[in-house]
Each structure stands twice: as structure tokens, then as C-alpha cells.
Amino acid sequence: MSISRRSILKASALFALVPLAPKLLSASESSMEEHVNKMGEYMSKASEMKYVTKLVENGEVITGAHWGILKARIRHGKVVSSNGAFKSTFHNPLQNVTADLIYAKSRIKYPMIRKSYFLDPHNNKPELRGKDTWIRVPYRKALELITIALKETREQKGSDAIYVGGNGWKSSGNMHNAIVLLQRFMNLSGGFSHKIGTFSTGAAEVIMPHVLGSAEVSSQQSAYPVILEHSKVVVIWGANPMVTLRIGDTIIDGDYGMKFFDEIKKRRKKVILIDPVGSETVQFFKDDTNSMWIAPRPNTDVALMLGIMHTMYITKKYDKKFLDTYTVGFSKFLDYMLGKSDGVVKDATWASSISSVDVKTIKYLAKEMFENRTMIMAGWAMQRAHHGEQPHWMLVTLASMIGQIGLPGGGFGFSYHYANGGNPSAKAAIIGGMNLGQEKQKVTNFIPTARIADALLNVGESIESNGGKATYPEIDLMYWAGENPISHQQDINKFLKAWQKPRTIIVHDPYWSATARHADIVMPTTTEYERDDISMSGDYSNLNIVPMKALVERQFEAKDDYEVFSDLAREFNIYEEYTEGKTPAQWIEEFYNNALKQARAEHIKMPDFKRFWRENKPITFEVTNEAKHYVRYADFRSDPILNALGTPSGKIEIYSQVIEKMGYDDCRAYPSWFEPAEWLGMKDKPAEFHLLSPHPEYRLHSQLDNTSLKEKYNIAGREPIWINEKDAKAKGIKTGDVVRVFNARGEVLAGAKVTKDIREGVVKLSEGAWYNPDSKGLCKNGCANVLTLDIPTSKLANATSANTMLVNIEKYEKKTPKVDIFEEPKNMEV
């Protein structure tokens, strides 16, 4: 709360000098002294919202983040270092940069308004977003501008003209979840157009309920001990667990997943890795003679699976009894696979011509998977592509032909690579959170998450979506908190054109991200290290309750999202409803006490809240013996009638009558091969190389890009791009060169890494680099989404097709521009 009287007077003077729309200055603020008094009133209310207990000046404090339970060392009120709270076999470097995040040069210090918006919110020159000058204002004035904008939009355009973000990685804590806090405020104050789906699993989470009766991608997997004991073959298909197991949606519960894969290696299980990129996981198993790496063309996994299944069928190495007992529609799918429905036989030769995997290998995979207890562990990247509904559906069909679903060590799993998905669940009391206030939501319209640019650009257009229809509203105001959409949205240049459409864009962020720089009103928010919170570790295992203690005072004029929305709630006369009269400390204690009631009912030992907070350590729950032997779909296999799936038939639906009735031309009633919009097998390719943009090794999407971790991976001062050594030689490119990567959608600069660990014709540029354009739109920092294709996977899911794109690459011969996105904007009037 470091707002000085001098800064208030300075900012208030700015408002007095600049002519504003009549609504912007209320009569109550005609007196500067009265305005200052109001600021003092807000500050005193804010002081009630600070911390559960006094901050530690010197010592060690436990907190948490997506990358683990942390122990931070504090000296003289400043964080000097951090690491994992528990001993671990595998070092997680993401745990060491807490101080970087708190003291980053890119912190937003004060509430800021874009100058053109400040001068006239109704004629605010949206084309200057990202280029305009920033003006510092007092917190109270920023609240007033937000209030006026929200009320005007609702009065003039209706609540469906407000779009609220909600797909980011927010805080790990249950109290300060920015997305929950934002949506709760918006629901209680009148509603908004809401999004459906996610970028992570947008296609799979729509298709899987039709096939299996659940989203599956967020489900507990057969337990690690079961795989270690029973699986003979482990297929890791399109996943990189040795990187992605560093993070979780809440707090990753240690390095259990890493240890699991290490134990697979030690036990010399047969490991088959299918990935166009020789990822960190491929490298981990590289020295194991019992492993093999298969590198198909990108986006051809479905064709490869069809070739495997056709081989199984003609060699009679498939489980007909399983198909007859536990699935529906195989016969119709079989007509497609054998070419009876379209004249194309999907045999190994056909699959090889598409995937570039040789026929011998395809036949080997068919035999190896059927003759051994096989667990297929699939990642999410292959469903983030054009026709992304098909790979996971086809993989379930493949696993059904193998016939081991529901057996120990057999079947498939879609989250072994994420958040320790196979870690046995603990018998735990669960920490809850606030509700979203959905009972007050007045808007029924929805927008598929990945289609926000289309919605902004095509007002009034209706689209098909999972059997229903969505109509794009005229969005007048967008409010974002807890995410960085300009980083995660595909085809950024298209998105920036769409970004000019709303009248008002409001952003909460601790940092000057690309999204914050392209906003109208920016509210500086605290990092999770400047506020108390509470959470659980393990998205699936619920292994620990973690005290997330504030490490330091709030920096500059940053405020908690809860405080901002509580103060806005006053302006909308919903303060009591929004806060329920509670400070953050009281919410945290309530969340804990609710879990304590659960614990007592289940005879689980937990201390009272005061003791828990004082002892400064997680509560670790016991994992039951039953959980260690958990086999997914075992109950369904034992009795498919009593334990029917949530599909219309109660079985695995290889053929879906529900999807058939939708009549989509880009998603048939059975899993099938569709040619992607851009791929290496095209006759007239728009560019030479297929670019993949997987999860980065040292970031969580765009989080942590503004830390010293960059020194571990940056090449030539920017994001690295992998290129095969033969391709590099043909282009005259060497490791360390700055290269220009481009297509019809945009261009970026990256640092070349020449390697054998990627198939020819493919390049890899990890997603999440902060967008840093020059005056002509060239991204100096290698943001992959400048190049990605923004089209829906199909009419079914309308999800992202981020991994479907072709690019060109060349050595950059001009003077290389400086990457300057990690500093404050230079055009500020403070």
C-alpha cells in the first residue's frame, strides 16, 4: 500500500488539467483534498485485508506455486533464494527464481491508463493500443473509470457485450484465484458472455465425453505402482513428461512422476516414444537400449494408428471379445478402415505414405502392443491441431482393439505427463474455494475459448459447436485477470486486429506483459508471494494442504485482485454479497475449517487452523493401499452393466450416433483421418517446414519468461528454435545464428539450435515467449503464436489448431534488434 500523498496529488493534478468526458469526474471529487481523503479511506479498508500473521523479517517460509511446494529464505524483509521444500531426486529449476518474480524489472508499479483512453474513453483510438503513452492515475480514479465503463456497456449494449477471460494459469492458491474472483464479481454484478473449453485440452475434452462418458484428460490414471508391476511395454505418444511434470494446475506434489519414469528405465521396460521431436523425455531414455524413438510427420498420428490397427486386424492380433463386450460401432469403423466406405484401405503401406514411418515399424508396433501388456500414455499436443478430436478417439479405438483397458498395466492414459497423473490419491480433506456467483448470471451466450478473435471480427455470426449453436455478440468491453491472452491466442496479428474492436479493455497483471501493454486500463496486482493463501498439492493425488504464506510486502502500489473486486463491488452495491463480510485471512481460515470438518468426519488427523499456520509446514495425507492398486476402468471391465460409462450406450463408443446426428463434414461419427490445413504431405505447401510449438522446458507457458531462467535456454538473446542438422546445412545456418522464421501470418526472430534430435523438415519453437514486436510487427523474442494458424479443430469442439502450421526459415542478415519486452514501457508519464 505504498501510495504516497505526493503521488496522489500529482495524479489528481493530471486529472484536473486534462479535459474529460462529463461522466469521468463526479461532483464528490471536485475538491482535491476530498479526493485525497477518499484515497485514505480506501487505504484503511485495504489494510484490513493484508495478512493472516505478521510477515517474517528473517528466516524461512513455506509457500507454493505451480512448480512445487517452496521454501523461501528471507533476509531483512527480502527474498534472497528459494527451492523445493522437500528433498527431491530431480532438480526443478523453476523453484529457484521466486526473487526474480517479485523484483522483476517488468513489474507494473502503479495503476495506468492509456493516454488516448484517458483523454476520451468514447473516442479512444484503439489502433494505438500497444503504442500509446501511459498515464499514472490514483487507484480510486482507476476504479472509477472501470466502474463507468462497465455500467455504460451494460446500459447501452447489455451484459453479453462484456467478455471475461478465464483460461489462464492464475494463482496456485484457492483464495487469490484471479479468474474465480473476476467471474464472481461479473456474475454478481450482472453477467457476461462466457467462454467454454480450454486451450490445453479443447478438442479432447469435447470428444471424450461422447466416446467414454467423461473428459478423461483430467482423470486419475492407473496408479504408478500398477504400471511398474504389470506393464511390459510403455508407449509415450506425443508427450514430454520429463518437462511437463515440473508443473501442476495447483501445486505439483513433488517429483513422483519423474521418479516413476526413472524407475521404468531402471526396470528396463520396453519404452516406445512417438514424437517428431527428440524431446527431453526422448533424451532421458536415449541410453536405454530397450527404448526406441519413432518420429512421424507432425499431425499424422491418426494415420499411423490406422496402419497399426489394420495390421492387427488382418493378422488377427486383436481382441474381438473386448470389442463385442465393451464397445459399440466397431463394425462401422471397420468398413472405413478396410476401405469399404471410401475406397481407401488404411493399411500399413497407406499409413507409411502419410506418416513417413516405415511399414516394418508399423507392423512391429502392431505385434508388440498386442502381445505384451501395454500402457499407451498420450499427451495433449496432438489434439491441439487441425481435426484434433481424432487422435484421442483413434487412440481409444486402438486400445480397444488391443483389449487391455481395465487390466492392470494395460489400456491408455491421457494425463501421465501432467501433474503426476498416476500418483496414487491420498485419503485427504479437500480445501475448497469461493463459488462463482453463477446463480446471478443472466447471459446464456457462450464463445469457444479459441474462437475469441473470430468472435470479435464477425459480430452476429452463428457457428456450430458440439451439436449446438453459438452466436458471436458485439463485445464492447473485455476484462482479463490471471492470464496473458496475447501470448496464448493463435495468429497474434489477426488477434491484434480483433483486439481493436472493443471500446474498453481492462487488465490485471503484476507485469508489463504484451496483454497489459495492449490494454486501456491496467491494474497492478500482487504476485502470489505478496499475499497469504492456501491450496492443495497434486491435481489428482491431493497429497498435501499447503500454507502459501506471504513472503514480502506488496511491491509499489500493487493490490490483490480480491481487494480490487471488493472495491468495485461497492460501486455496484454488491459488496456484502461479494465479500460475505470476510477479509482474505477469514476466507482462508474458513476454507481450512471446512476441510477440518471433513477430516474429523473421516477420522483424518489435522491440527486447528492457528496451529497449522503457525507451524509453517504442509499437512501430508496418507495414501491408502487401495489407491496404490488403482486401475482405471477396472470396475467397468468387471461389470459393464452395473458400472456403465456415461455414454448413451454405457460402453466405449467407437461409433457415436449423437455425433452422426450433428451431420458435420469435418468430424464423422467414427474416428478417421482428415488431411490437415497445413502439413508436410501437401502438394502445394505454403511454406517449407512444419513448426511445432510444445511446452517450454523452463517456463509455464509465458510465466517465468521474465526471470533469469532465460540464461539457461536463450540463444543469441532470444527464444531458441531447433532445426535438423541436414536442414540447417542446406540453409547455411549454424547454432547461435539469429534466424528469421516466417509465413503469411507473421515473422519472428529466434536463436538457432542445430541438432540431430528433430526429424528433417520439422522445426521446434516452444510456445510462451513474450511477444515483443518492432514497429513493423517482427517479434524480436520468438513468440510462436505470431506464426500459428487460427482455425477451429472442427465444428464439434472449435478448439485450437496451434500445432498445424508451416513456416520458412532463413539466416537473419540485418542488425539484430534488442529484446526489450522485459522492461517497463518507455512511453510512460509517471
Side-chain angles (χ1 to χ4, degrees), residues 347-380:
D347 59 12
T349 301
W350 172 86
S352 179
S353 70
I354 292 172
S355 67
S356 288
V357 177
D358 63 84
V359 171
K360 182 180 178 181
T361 299
I362 293 173
K363 292 181 176 180
Y364 165 81
L365 290 173
K367 184 175 185 292
E368 191 76 0
M369 289 184 191
F370 179 74
E371 292 183 350
N372 295 280
R373 185 60 59 87
T374 300
M375 173 57 74
I376 306 175
M377 301 176 176
W380 299 342

Tab-separated table of all heavy atoms in Angstrom, residues 347-380:
chain	number	residue	atom	x	y	z
A	347	ASP	N	-4.131	-49.491	-44.733
A	347	ASP	CA	-3.160	-50.497	-44.308
A	347	ASP	C	-1.830	-49.839	-43.976
A	347	ASP	O	-1.689	-48.602	-44.028
A	347	ASP	CB	-3.004	-51.572	-45.377
A	347	ASP	CG	-2.533	-51.019	-46.722
A	347	ASP	OD1	-2.100	-49.842	-46.783
A	347	ASP	OD2	-2.601	-51.757	-47.723
A	348	ALA	N	-0.836	-50.663	-43.647
A	348	ALA	CA	0.465	-50.144	-43.224
A	348	ALA	C	1.145	-49.343	-44.325
A	348	ALA	O	1.812	-48.340	-44.060
A	348	ALA	CB	1.351	-51.296	-42.760
A	349	THR	N	0.975	-49.770	-45.562
A	349	THR	CA	1.584	-49.051	-46.687
A	349	THR	C	0.975	-47.663	-46.833
A	349	THR	O	1.682	-46.669	-47.024
A	349	THR	CB	1.412	-49.854	-47.989
A	349	THR	OG1	2.021	-51.134	-47.823
A	349	THR	CG2	2.062	-49.124	-49.158
A	350	TRP	N	-0.358	-47.604	-46.761
A	350	TRP	CA	-1.044	-46.306	-46.804
A	350	TRP	C	-0.594	-45.421	-45.656
A	350	TRP	O	-0.279	-44.236	-45.850
A	350	TRP	CB	-2.557	-46.548	-46.737
A	350	TRP	CG	-3.381	-45.306	-46.581
A	350	TRP	CD1	-3.835	-44.483	-47.566
A	350	TRP	CD2	-3.854	-44.753	-45.343
A	350	TRP	NE1	-4.558	-43.444	-47.029
A	350	TRP	CE2	-4.583	-43.587	-45.657
A	350	TRP	CE3	-3.733	-45.122	-44.003
A	350	TRP	CZ2	-5.193	-42.791	-44.679
A	350	TRP	CZ3	-4.331	-44.331	-43.033
A	350	TRP	CH2	-5.052	-43.187	-43.373
A	351	ALA	N	-0.550	-45.959	-44.434
A	351	ALA	CA	-0.144	-45.192	-43.259
A	351	ALA	C	1.294	-44.700	-43.386
A	351	ALA	O	1.620	-43.576	-42.993
A	351	ALA	CB	-0.301	-46.037	-41.993
A	352	SER	N	2.161	-45.527	-43.952
A	352	SER	CA	3.564	-45.150	-44.132
A	352	SER	C	3.694	-43.982	-45.108
A	352	SER	O	4.514	-43.076	-44.900
A	352	SER	CB	4.370	-46.346	-44.629
A	352	SER	OG	5.718	-45.983	-44.838
A	353	SER	N	2.874	-43.977	-46.156
A	353	SER	CA	2.952	-42.908	-47.146
A	353	SER	C	2.560	-41.558	-46.558
A	353	SER	O	3.005	-40.509	-47.031
A	353	SER	CB	2.047	-43.232	-48.346
A	353	SER	OG	0.670	-43.136	-47.985
A	354	ILE	N	1.762	-41.577	-45.519
A	354	ILE	CA	1.313	-40.334	-44.877
A	354	ILE	C	2.229	-39.944	-43.729
A	354	ILE	O	2.660	-38.787	-43.611
A	354	ILE	CB	-0.138	-40.487	-44.382
A	354	ILE	CG1	-1.083	-40.611	-45.583
A	354	ILE	CG2	-0.545	-39.311	-43.496
A	354	ILE	CD1	-2.505	-40.945	-45.216
A	355	SER	N	2.557	-40.917	-42.873
A	355	SER	CA	3.312	-40.617	-41.647
A	355	SER	C	4.824	-40.637	-41.825
A	355	SER	O	5.557	-40.113	-40.984
A	355	SER	CB	2.943	-41.630	-40.559
A	355	SER	OG	3.406	-42.934	-40.912
A	356	SER	N	5.298	-41.265	-42.902
A	356	SER	CA	6.734	-41.471	-43.155
A	356	SER	C	7.367	-42.465	-42.185
A	356	SER	O	8.587	-42.586	-42.135
A	356	SER	CB	7.516	-40.151	-43.119
A	356	SER	OG	7.230	-39.382	-44.264
A	357	VAL	N	6.545	-43.161	-41.398
A	357	VAL	CA	7.051	-44.271	-40.591
A	357	VAL	C	7.035	-45.510	-41.482
A	357	VAL	O	6.016	-45.808	-42.116
A	357	VAL	CB	6.183	-44.487	-39.332
A	357	VAL	CG1	6.671	-45.697	-38.542
A	357	VAL	CG2	6.189	-43.230	-38.461
A	358	ASP	N	8.153	-46.232	-41.544
A	358	ASP	CA	8.236	-47.338	-42.495
A	358	ASP	C	7.287	-48.488	-42.127
A	358	ASP	O	6.901	-48.653	-40.963
A	358	ASP	CB	9.680	-47.848	-42.604
A	358	ASP	CG	10.192	-48.415	-41.293
A	358	ASP	OD1	9.922	-49.590	-41.013
A	358	ASP	OD2	10.865	-47.668	-40.546
A	359	VAL	N	6.929	-49.259	-43.130
A	359	VAL	CA	5.956	-50.344	-42.975
A	359	VAL	C	6.416	-51.351	-41.935
A	359	VAL	O	5.613	-51.842	-41.126
A	359	VAL	CB	5.709	-51.033	-44.334
A	359	VAL	CG1	4.867	-52.291	-44.149
A	359	VAL	CG2	5.026	-50.072	-45.300
A	360	LYS	N	7.680	-51.669	-41.943
A	360	LYS	CA	8.212	-52.648	-40.992
A	360	LYS	C	7.969	-52.195	-39.554
A	360	LYS	O	7.574	-53.002	-38.690
A	360	LYS	CB	9.707	-52.854	-41.244
A	360	LYS	CG	10.350	-53.889	-40.339
A	360	LYS	CD	11.832	-54.041	-40.654
A	360	LYS	CE	12.497	-55.050	-39.720
A	360	LYS	NZ	13.956	-55.178	-39.999
A	361	THR	N	8.195	-50.922	-39.276
A	361	THR	CA	7.987	-50.396	-37.924
A	361	THR	C	6.514	-50.429	-37.548
A	361	THR	O	6.162	-50.772	-36.411
A	361	THR	CB	8.530	-48.959	-37.822
A	361	THR	OG1	9.938	-48.966	-38.092
A	361	THR	CG2	8.292	-48.372	-36.441
A	362	ILE	N	5.645	-50.107	-38.482
A	362	ILE	CA	4.204	-50.135	-38.207
A	362	ILE	C	3.756	-51.548	-37.851
A	362	ILE	O	3.009	-51.757	-36.883
A	362	ILE	CB	3.424	-49.597	-39.422
A	362	ILE	CG1	3.708	-48.097	-39.618
A	362	ILE	CG2	1.920	-49.826	-39.249
A	362	ILE	CD1	3.130	-47.511	-40.885
A	363	LYS	N	4.230	-52.528	-38.579
A	363	LYS	CA	3.874	-53.920	-38.292
A	363	LYS	C	4.463	-54.378	-36.960
A	363	LYS	O	3.826	-55.139	-36.214
A	363	LYS	CB	4.336	-54.818	-39.430
A	363	LYS	CG	3.558	-54.586	-40.731
A	363	LYS	CD	4.026	-55.508	-41.854
A	363	LYS	CE	3.177	-55.319	-43.107
A	363	LYS	NZ	3.615	-56.205	-44.213
A	364	TYR	N	5.670	-53.898	-36.659
A	364	TYR	CA	6.294	-54.221	-35.371
A	364	TYR	C	5.450	-53.668	-34.224
A	364	TYR	O	5.206	-54.360	-33.222
A	364	TYR	CB	7.705	-53.643	-35.322
A	364	TYR	CG	8.296	-53.613	-33.931
A	364	TYR	CD1	8.857	-54.761	-33.372
A	364	TYR	CD2	8.271	-52.449	-33.166
A	364	TYR	CE1	9.389	-54.740	-32.080
A	364	TYR	CE2	8.790	-52.418	-31.890
A	364	TYR	CZ	9.346	-53.569	-31.343
A	364	TYR	OH	9.863	-53.547	-30.080
A	365	LEU	N	4.984	-52.418	-34.360
A	365	LEU	CA	4.178	-51.806	-33.299
A	365	LEU	C	2.890	-52.582	-33.070
A	365	LEU	O	2.472	-52.795	-31.929
A	365	LEU	CB	3.861	-50.355	-33.664
A	365	LEU	CG	5.037	-49.366	-33.630
A	365	LEU	CD1	4.611	-48.010	-34.188
A	365	LEU	CD2	5.577	-49.199	-32.217
A	366	ALA	N	2.250	-53.031	-34.136
A	366	ALA	CA	1.012	-53.806	-34.008
A	366	ALA	C	1.246	-55.079	-33.213
A	366	ALA	O	0.469	-55.432	-32.310
A	366	ALA	CB	0.461	-54.133	-35.396
A	367	LYS	N	2.312	-55.776	-33.528
A	367	LYS	CA	2.623	-57.037	-32.856
A	367	LYS	C	3.042	-56.807	-31.402
A	367	LYS	O	2.574	-57.491	-30.479
A	367	LYS	CB	3.747	-57.753	-33.615
A	367	LYS	CG	4.122	-59.132	-33.109
A	367	LYS	CD	5.152	-59.763	-34.042
A	367	LYS	CE	5.471	-61.203	-33.634
A	367	LYS	NZ	6.191	-61.280	-32.359
A	368	GLU	N	3.902	-55.829	-31.190
A	368	GLU	CA	4.455	-55.566	-29.861
A	368	GLU	C	3.367	-55.117	-28.886
A	368	GLU	O	3.320	-55.561	-27.733
A	368	GLU	CB	5.554	-54.496	-29.965
A	368	GLU	CG	6.386	-54.328	-28.716
A	368	GLU	CD	7.403	-55.440	-28.528
A	368	GLU	OE1	7.464	-56.357	-29.374
A	368	GLU	OE2	8.148	-55.394	-27.531
A	369	MET	N	2.495	-54.250	-29.337
A	369	MET	CA	1.446	-53.742	-28.449
A	369	MET	C	0.435	-54.820	-28.081
A	369	MET	O	-0.038	-54.884	-26.945
A	369	MET	CB	0.712	-52.569	-29.116
A	369	MET	CG	1.513	-51.285	-29.222
A	369	MET	SD	0.492	-49.965	-29.921
A	369	MET	CE	1.727	-48.706	-30.241
A	370	PHE	N	0.090	-55.687	-29.029
A	370	PHE	CA	-0.921	-56.706	-28.749
A	370	PHE	C	-0.356	-57.850	-27.910
A	370	PHE	O	-1.043	-58.361	-27.015
A	370	PHE	CB	-1.492	-57.267	-30.052
A	370	PHE	CG	-2.523	-58.329	-29.816
A	370	PHE	CD1	-3.788	-57.996	-29.362
A	370	PHE	CD2	-2.232	-59.675	-30.019
A	370	PHE	CE1	-4.741	-58.978	-29.120
A	370	PHE	CE2	-3.178	-60.652	-29.780
A	370	PHE	CZ	-4.440	-60.304	-29.325
A	371	GLU	N	0.869	-58.237	-28.149
A	371	GLU	CA	1.427	-59.419	-27.498
A	371	GLU	C	1.971	-59.143	-26.100
A	371	GLU	O	2.338	-60.084	-25.393
A	371	GLU	CB	2.529	-60.022	-28.372
A	371	GLU	CG	1.999	-60.633	-29.667
A	371	GLU	CD	3.074	-61.286	-30.506
A	371	GLU	OE1	4.276	-61.100	-30.175
A	371	GLU	OE2	2.730	-61.963	-31.487
A	372	ASN	N	2.053	-57.885	-25.705
A	372	ASN	CA	2.550	-57.529	-24.373
A	372	ASN	C	1.527	-56.672	-23.642
A	372	ASN	O	0.706	-55.999	-24.263
A	372	ASN	CB	3.867	-56.750	-24.487
A	372	ASN	CG	4.985	-57.586	-25.063
A	372	ASN	OD1	5.603	-58.385	-24.374
A	372	ASN	ND2	5.256	-57.405	-26.357
A	373	ARG	N	1.591	-56.728	-22.300
A	373	ARG	CA	0.742	-55.819	-21.516
A	373	ARG	C	1.261	-54.401	-21.780
A	373	ARG	O	2.376	-54.051	-21.391
A	373	ARG	CB	0.804	-56.176	-20.028
A	373	ARG	CG	-0.143	-55.366	-19.142
A	373	ARG	CD	-1.612	-55.549	-19.527
A	373	ARG	NE	-2.070	-56.931	-19.463
A	373	ARG	CZ	-2.547	-57.511	-18.366
A	373	ARG	NH1	-2.629	-56.837	-17.229
A	373	ARG	NH2	-2.962	-58.773	-18.415
A	374	THR	N	0.435	-53.601	-22.441
A	374	THR	CA	0.875	-52.310	-22.969
A	374	THR	C	0.049	-51.169	-22.405
A	374	THR	O	-1.187	-51.198	-22.450
A	374	THR	CB	0.763	-52.292	-24.510
A	374	THR	OG1	1.591	-53.331	-25.046
A	374	THR	CG2	1.202	-50.952	-25.073
A	375	MET	N	0.736	-50.163	-21.895
A	375	MET	CA	0.091	-48.921	-21.486
A	375	MET	C	0.486	-47.830	-22.469
A	375	MET	O	1.673	-47.547	-22.655
A	375	MET	CB	0.509	-48.521	-20.064
A	375	MET	CG	-0.013	-47.140	-19.643
A	375	MET	SD	-1.820	-46.943	-19.732
A	375	MET	CE	-2.326	-47.903	-18.297
A	376	ILE	N	-0.508	-47.212	-23.124
A	376	ILE	CA	-0.258	-46.106	-24.048
A	376	ILE	C	-0.519	-44.803	-23.307
A	376	ILE	O	-1.646	-44.526	-22.876
A	376	ILE	CB	-1.163	-46.191	-25.291
A	376	ILE	CG1	-1.027	-47.557	-25.965
A	376	ILE	CG2	-0.812	-45.076	-26.277
A	376	ILE	CD1	-1.983	-47.760	-27.128
A	377	MET	N	0.536	-44.036	-23.137
A	377	MET	CA	0.448	-42.749	-22.441
A	377	MET	C	0.494	-41.636	-23.484
A	377	MET	O	1.543	-41.376	-24.079
A	377	MET	CB	1.610	-42.601	-21.459
A	377	MET	CG	1.664	-43.679	-20.405
A	377	MET	SD	3.122	-43.513	-19.360
A	377	MET	CE	2.828	-44.820	-18.167
A	378	ALA	N	-0.624	-40.990	-23.703
A	378	ALA	CA	-0.713	-39.971	-24.752
A	378	ALA	C	-0.696	-38.573	-24.148
A	378	ALA	O	-1.285	-38.334	-23.087
A	378	ALA	CB	-1.983	-40.166	-25.572
A	379	GLY	N	-0.036	-37.663	-24.856
A	379	GLY	CA	-0.028	-36.268	-24.441
A	379	GLY	C	-1.198	-35.506	-25.034
A	379	GLY	O	-2.111	-36.080	-25.647
A	380	TRP	N	-1.163	-34.198	-24.865
A	380	TRP	CA	-2.255	-33.344	-25.333
A	380	TRP	C	-1.898	-32.586	-26.607
A	380	TRP	O	-2.781	-32.004	-27.253
A	380	TRP	CB	-2.635	-32.346	-24.246
A	380	TRP	CG	-3.124	-32.972	-22.981
A	380	TRP	CD1	-3.584	-34.254	-22.820
A	380	TRP	CD2	-3.213	-32.354	-21.694
A	380	TRP	NE1	-3.961	-34.468	-21.519
A	380	TRP	CE2	-3.741	-33.319	-20.796
A	380	TRP	CE3	-2.908	-31.099	-21.195
A	380	TRP	CZ2	-3.963	-33.049	-19.449
A	380	TRP	CZ3	-3.121	-30.818	-19.854
A	380	TRP	CH2	-3.637	-31.784	-18.993
